[in-house]
Amino acid sequence: MFLDERRARLAKAMERRGQWPERSPWIRRAVEELPRHLFAPARLWHWDSSAGVYVPVDRMAAPDRWAAELYAGPDDPTVTQVTGGRASCSLSCQAVVVDMLDSLLLEPGHRVLELGTGTGWNAALLAYRAGPGRVVSVEVDPQLVDAAHACLTAVGAEVAVQVGDGSAGRPQGAPYDRVIATYAVEKVPWAWVEQTRPGGRIVTPWGRLGHVALTVAEDGRSASGWVQGLAQFMPTRGVHPGRDWKQIRSAGLPEHADRPFVRDIQRLHQDVHLLFALRVALPEVHIRTAARDGGAYAWLHDGDSSWATLTLRDDEKAVACQGGPRRLAEELERAWDQWQALGEPDLYDYGLTVEPHRQYAWCRDAATGPRWPVGTGATDHVSLTS
Ligand SMILES: C[S@@+](CC[C@H](N)C(=O)[O-])C[C@H]1O[C@@H](n2cnc3c(N)ncnc32)[C@H](O)[C@@H]1O
């Protein structure tokens, strides 16, 4: 199938699912005029799940597979760079890019700071709306900066691309009307708030599951806003990923006696709102789930020294096994109970407030709702790529 056919299929799939935002019709036009393949390198990377490795897909050798990597589906990212076996850059899922641009409420003439240039695609979309010379983008990887600059120049987008660590923002051009990050943070850097004008907006992937849109207060001393949707992004570079489940499990820390787990593990596997609530309540706990042959499984760890497995086999009662200083299965049950006691809020019922010296997530009401501290976890690590 040719590139244009794949592209059209992806656009149609987004139409069927209602993923083109009605309030921002410019975004569909921008994506049509600036398709993602104009920013894709000649070598993409495909995740081979049976071998557990990324394998290269070269445009010259396999043009159709290359196109399939780019235009697979609305929720599929395209990995464009692999470093040490891990994805280090990607063209994010088209549906998420579109959703985040919609959350930004971008207007012509706005001055925009993007953190995480990557291929330059999102920067080009931002410039399509904001206008020439209105967007500056910061990328930590100098090699990516050169490639993005070349692609942006080729499509005629006037964007300033700079090498730097996005956590410092870019004070030289501040204040900005809009700040958008395309890598995930646990804590929103205060520099982003300081560099956004009062009333301006910051959109960023937050934590391991969602993206938030924050409005900077009129006095500039805080920024606050709601979770806008799902978004699983690669984490900010330079953060230690912490230990994974296998490493912690095999460290041989004392185990606790197996016990019944009296919650529905199938639900844990399927319900993104539940997963989001657990992630807010237990910020450093990683949860991976699977369901097969009538059974359901969950693997938990805290990136440091505690682990748990939850297992439900067909016709059996669910069992929790756990080890290490924390009892993660019990912690999970308590957080699950709390979510139910709150009436099972959606992820859209949560929000985030950022102040100079503290940040917290809240549910339903920033002032009066329940709160959870943010960024106190042992690890600042995301295991999925967008
Ligand atoms: C998902 S990709 C970006 C996608 C990009 N916006 C595009 O349209 O191709 C995330 C990017 O963030 C960059 N990045 C990660 N941490 C960063 C940091 N602290 N400062 C600047 N860039 C960072 C990565 O190198 C990577 O290129």
Side-chain angles (χ1 to χ4, degrees), residues 21-39:
E22 272 175 33
R23 71 172 168 183
S24 316
W26 70 267
I27 298 175
R28 184 166 189 174
R29 290 197 301 274
V31 170
E32 273 162 12
E33 283 186 37
L34 296 161
R36 59 205 260 128
H37 67 260
L38 297 181
F39 295 83

Side-chain angles (χ1 to χ4, degrees), residues 180-229:
I180 181 167
T182 63
Y183 57 85
V185 293
E186 286 293 313
K187 276 180 99 166
V188 174
W190 180 246
W192 298 359
V193 181
E194 280 182 320
Q195 293 172 25
T196 306
R197 68 157 166 83
R201 213 162 157 86
I202 301 167
V203 171
T204 182
W206 171 64
R208 293 188 283 271
L209 273 178
H211 79 270
V212 288
L214 310 174
T215 301
V216 175
E218 286 306 320
D219 64 4
R221 295 173 59 83
S222 65
S224 193
W226 298 93
V227 172
Q228 303 284 312

Side-chain angles (χ1 to χ4, degrees), residues 18-330:
Q19 287 172 317
W20 294 111
E22 272 175 33
R23 71 172 168 183
S24 316
W26 70 267
I27 298 175
R28 184 166 189 174
R29 290 197 301 274
V31 170
E32 273 162 12
E33 283 186 37
L34 296 161
R36 59 205 260 128
H37 67 260
L38 297 181
F39 295 83
R43 169 166 289 184
L44 300 173
W45 295 87
H46 174 80
W47 177 248
D48 179 343
S49 52
S50 52
V53 291
Y54 282 102
V55 291
V57 180
D58 289 327
R59 184 173 195 169
M60 289 292 278
D64 201 39
R65 277 179 45 222
W66 185 86
E69 278 308 311
L70 274 168
Y71 290 109
D75 303 324
D76 295 311
T78 308
V79 174
T80 55
Q81 187 190 54
V82 170
T83 311
R86 285 173 185 258
S88 51
C89 187
S90 64
L91 277 155
S92 310
C93 318
Q94 185 155 299
V96 174
V97 169
V98 164
D99 197 21
M100 286 179 63
L101 287 173
D102 182 45
S103 299
L104 197 60
L105 305 181
L106 183 60
E107 296 293 337
H110 272 162
R111 301 189 62 246
V112 187
L113 172 64
E114 183 195 40
L115 294 327
T117 318
T119 64
W121 181 46
N122 193 53
L125 300 174
L126 292 165
Y128 178 93
R129 176 69 168 171
R134 307 305 283 174
V135 179
V136 54
S137 185
V138 176
E139 166 59 53
V140 75
D141 183 331
Q143 264 188 332
L144 293 177
V145 167
D146 292 343
H149 187 257
C151 290
L152 285 161
T153 307
V155 300
E158 279 182 45
V159 174
V161 187
Q162 315 264 326
V163 183
D165 178 357
S167 29
R170 189 169 175 279
Q172 301 91 310
Y176 302 96
D177 299 293
R178 298 290 184 262
V179 171
I180 181 167
T182 63
Y183 57 85
V185 293
E186 286 293 313
K187 276 180 99 166
V188 174
W190 180 246
W192 298 359
V193 181
E194 280 182 320
Q195 293 172 25
T196 306
R197 68 157 166 83
R201 213 162 157 86
I202 301 167
V203 171
T204 182
W206 171 64
R208 293 188 283 271
L209 273 178
H211 79 270
V212 288
L214 310 174
T215 301
V216 175
E218 286 306 320
D219 64 4
R221 295 173 59 83
S222 65
S224 193
W226 298 93
V227 172
Q228 303 284 312
L230 290 172
Q232 295 178 324
F233 272 74
M234 55 184 53
T236 178
R237 289 218 197 168
V239 169
H240 189 269
R243 297 202 286 172
D244 64 22
W245 188 91
K246 262 192 197 153
Q247 289 166 326
I248 297 171
R249 176 76 179 84
S250 58
L253 285 152
E255 294 188 19
H256 312 291
D258 293 357
R259 57 186 288 278
F261 184 77
V262 285
R263 302 289 180 289
D264 179 0
I265 306 177
Q266 291 277 10
R267 184 165 186 199
L268 188 60
H269 178 62
Q270 286 158 357
D271 190 336
V272 72
H273 301 287
L274 167 61
L275 269 177
F276 188 84
L278 295 172
R279 194 253 169 278
V280 168
L282 304 170
E284 65 292 338
V285 177
H286 296 248
I287 304 172
R288 189 162 66 83
T289 61
R292 48 180 176 262
D293 308 327
Y297 309 85
W299 296 266
L300 278 58
H301 72 83
D302 67 353
D304 182 32
S305 50
S306 298
W307 62 273
T309 53
L310 312 174
T311 309
L312 170 70
R313 294 210 177 83
D314 211 8
D315 295 335
E316 285 178 28
K317 291 212 161 46
V319 176
C321 315
Q322 51 193 335
R326 292 174 65 173
R327 294 179 182 246
L328 296 182
E330 277 99 313

